[in-house]
Amino acid sequence: MALRFNASMWCNIAVALRNIESHYAVAAEKVGMNVLEWYIIRALLAQDGQQASELARAVGRAPTSFTPILDKLQSRGLIERKPHGVDRRALSIHLTPASEALRAQIEAEAQAVESKITQHLNATQLPAFHEVLVSLQNMPQA
């Protein structure tokens, strides 16, 4: 398949993202979450106790739209908000025993999806792809 719309960067990245995201959605559903919830829990598994704004940046969302997502995770017993240790005005987000119990399954599902995706890239494409991703993520916003 060729690139779409004269190799339009946005269109082709969006198409690739939707394709890849469908694989992550299946993995997330296996643990009873949507993709965004799954990424939030994965970010907390990597570093528990982050502030909401840090988590929002980690998963590529605006902090202003993040509260309802955290509310839902909290109502399901997967996270809890605690006073921040240094900044009394801030809250930190922590995993609960229920989300910790999902750690092995989440990590196994993530590895399975990553393996499935990387099977479509050869040994030289993967490092180059990672470099492109880093460059695009670090590009200043408009």
Side-chain angles (χ1 to χ4, degrees):
M1 178 178 284
L3 292 174
R4 294 166 171 89
F5 297 107
N6 297 321
S8 163
M9 191 79 71
W10 172 83
C11 179
N12 288 285
I13 289 173
V15 169
L17 176 61
R18 281 192 300 276
N19 186 21
I20 290 170
E21 190 170 31
S22 70
H23 293 278
Y24 282 103
V26 170
E29 286 174 16
K30 289 179 182 178
V31 293
M33 296 178 205
N34 66 41
V35 174
L36 183 55
E37 293 167 340
W38 193 57
Y39 279 128
I40 292 167
I41 298 300
R42 288 185 68 198
L44 289 169
L45 288 169
Q47 182 184 344
D48 199 19
Q50 296 181 58
Q51 291 183 3
S53 59
E54 295 169 324
L55 278 173
R57 277 190 299 278
V59 299
R61 294 290 193 252
T64 54
S65 65
F66 213 60
T67 301
I69 299 162
L70 295 179
D71 289 344
K72 184 177 175 187
L73 286 170
Q74 187 169 10
S75 72
R76 293 177 50 208
L78 296 173
I79 64 163
E80 60 185 350
R81 295 170 166 113
K82 296 181 182 178
H84 190 271
V86 178
D87 184 351
R88 293 186 314 180
R89 299 168 297 161
L91 296 172
S92 56
I93 313 302
H94 295 268
L95 296 170
T96 63
S99 55
E100 281 286 355
L102 296 171
R103 180 187 292 269
Q105 186 180 2
I106 289 170
E107 290 174 352
E109 291 297 336
Q111 181 57 44
V113 173
E114 294 288 329
S115 293
K116 186 184 292 186
I117 293 167
T118 57
Q119 287 175 2
H120 292 276
L121 303 171
N122 67 41
T124 57
Q125 288 174 316
L126 188 58
F129 181 66
H130 286 160
E131 284 184 41
V132 169
L133 288 175
V134 169
S135 293
L136 292 175
Q137 289 176 6
N138 291 324
M139 187 174 104
Q141 292 188 1

